Amino acid sequence: SFLLSPFAGDDNFTARALKQIKPRELQLDPGYYMYGGGFIYTQGFFALLASLLGLIQTGHGLDYYQMNPGEMGKIFSVLRFCVVLFCAVGVGIYYHVTQRTFGRRVAFLATSVVLSMPLSHQAARTVEPHMFVLPLFMAAMLFILKAVQEDTRRNYVYAAALTGATIGTQAINFY
């Protein structure tokens, strides 16, 4: 049952929020404010792209998906793929930042620890923004390190912008 509906129901909440967005009618409010707009709208973009490519079928009512649970599973798979993709990019940036700061051995060890943690696996396979924002967070960390090392104002601005984007994507809505 975990593959269909995780313990916290995040997949269902996100799917319900996406169903409420109707761009053609200029209805962009998902009615779900626990996660930020950056996450919800990116998930919507991935669902739209998958729909245009014929990978998923959207726009059906609850009865259709109850009779065809595999179709709902495909939608959840696309949304989870989006999270896994962003997580993988974030782990790559994490390795780069750690290697740059502490060296290759420490970077390998630290990345191995992150990849072996059960919480990392759970957050990466659920439609929630916790691992999804890892690339933004790690890019912010990279500019914070550059700001400290080079002391240029531009790096502080980039770090602040990426930190704000991380928070806005994960927890604050931009609706």
Side-chain angles (χ1 to χ4, degrees):
S1 71
F2 177 79
L3 294 175
L4 292 177
S5 183
F7 71 95
D10 294 289
D11 292 29
N12 295 330
F13 295 140
T14 303
R16 190 175 308 129
L18 292 175
K19 184 176 168 114
Q20 294 186 58
I21 298 173
K22 296 174 179 83
R24 290 184 181 137
E25 300 169 17
L26 297 178
Q27 167 57 33
L28 301 176
D29 184 357
Y32 181 68
Y33 308 110
M34 186 170 166
Y35 296 147
F39 178 69
I40 297 295
Y41 295 138
T42 303
Q43 289 289 310
F45 174 76
F46 268 71
L48 175 65
L49 186 61
S51 178
L52 292 173
L53 293 173
L55 301 173
I56 62 174
Q57 294 183 21
T58 59
H60 298 287
L62 182 61
D63 292 339
Y64 173 82
Y65 293 114
Q66 286 179 335
M67 297 301 294
N68 301 290
E71 292 302 318
M72 192 67 201
K74 289 178 186 178
I75 293 172
F76 285 154
S77 295
V78 166
L79 300 179
R80 288 177 181 168
F81 173 75
C82 175
V83 174
V84 169
L85 180 65
F86 276 73
C87 176
V89 170
V91 169
I93 298 171
Y94 176 80
Y95 178 84
H96 173 73
V97 169
T98 307
Q99 180 185 19
R100 180 180 173 160
T101 308
F102 299 106
R104 188 173 182 189
R105 283 185 171 175
V106 172
F108 181 76
L109 177 63
T111 304
S112 298
V113 168
V114 168
L115 291 175
S116 66
M117 291 174 41
L119 188 58
S120 296
H121 289 263
Q122 180 275 322
R125 46 184 276 177
T126 307
V127 184
E128 58 185 30
H130 309 304
M131 290 298 276
F132 175 83
V133 296
L134 190 57
L136 291 171
F137 177 76
M138 291 312 304
M141 285 298 298
L142 184 62
F143 282 108
I144 288 169
L145 290 171
K146 282 182 162 188
V148 169
Q149 294 167 349
E150 300 169 12
D151 194 31
T152 60
R153 188 175 302 245
R154 181 184 70 217
N155 289 326
Y156 287 108
V157 172
Y158 291 153
L162 286 164
T163 301
T166 300
I167 294 166
T169 298
Q170 181 167 348
I172 299 172
N173 55 59
F174 283 138
Y175 311 125

